[in-house]
Amino acid sequence: AGARPTSDTPLHWACLMLAAKEFGWSERPLVALHGHALAERDGLKKAQELGLPISNQETLFSTPEDVEALMGLFKDFAYPDHKVFIRRGHGFLILAATVAAAVEELEKLRPHFEQPATEADALQPPLKHQKLS
């Protein structure tokens, strides 16, 4: 059957191929690291406290609207001055020049990730992305 690309391919394409050229960034990131923390509830509040750029609207993940919201963040918060971006209701994106630099940014964020309240919560599958009306 072969490998299939992630459903987040449009977001990664925007991060790595479109934004630098479209917004005249001084550097083009070579690495995009994506996770699903800091985008909802207490995690989103923590992202706000950390002063991270956060999209204004929540969209269905990996749709043209999701990419448009991400590009809006990139327009207002240029890389490399900003390396971490939060897609409300979706997750974070870390942009970097190297994998090591992306992991370094991730390690700064990790203490702020929501921890499951109980062991049973830790075993629950992540929330599915849902389209908002």
Side-chain angles (χ1 to χ4, degrees):
R4 294 180 44 188
T6 171
S7 63
D8 286 323
T9 297
L11 295 179
H12 296 296
W13 183 263
C15 293
L16 300 174
M17 302 305 292
L18 299 179
K21 184 176 181 180
E22 185 164 330
F23 302 122
W25 291 353
S26 62
E27 296 177 30
R28 183 174 72 87
L30 302 177
V31 175
L33 193 152
H34 173 51
H36 294 128
L38 301 176
E40 299 177 312
R41 299 181 295 276
D42 290 340
L44 189 58
K45 290 177 191 172
K46 181 52 74 174
Q48 291 168 328
E49 292 170 10
L50 293 170
L52 299 174
I54 302 169
S55 61
N56 292 322
Q57 61 186 357
E58 186 174 338
T59 59
L60 180 63
F61 75 101
S62 299
T63 60
E65 295 81 13
D66 195 31
V67 173
E68 184 178 318
L70 180 63
M71 292 295 278
L73 277 178
F74 292 158
K75 180 180 179 184
D76 294 339
F77 301 94
Y79 172 87
D81 295 334
H82 299 274
K83 294 178 177 64
V84 179
F85 304 84
I86 306 296
R87 282 291 298 112
R88 185 179 298 271
H90 187 164
F92 64 84
L93 281 155
I94 297 172
L95 304 184
T98 66
V99 171
V103 170
E104 184 177 319
E105 291 296 324
L106 177 64
E107 289 302 319
K108 292 177 194 174
L109 292 179
R110 198 163 60 136
H112 306 291
F113 292 167
E114 290 182 40
Q115 299 300 316
T118 67
E119 187 174 325
D121 290 339
L123 299 174
Q124 292 297 315
L127 295 174
K128 292 185 178 184
H129 298 289
Q130 298 178 5
K131 187 171 184 167
L132 301 177
S133 46

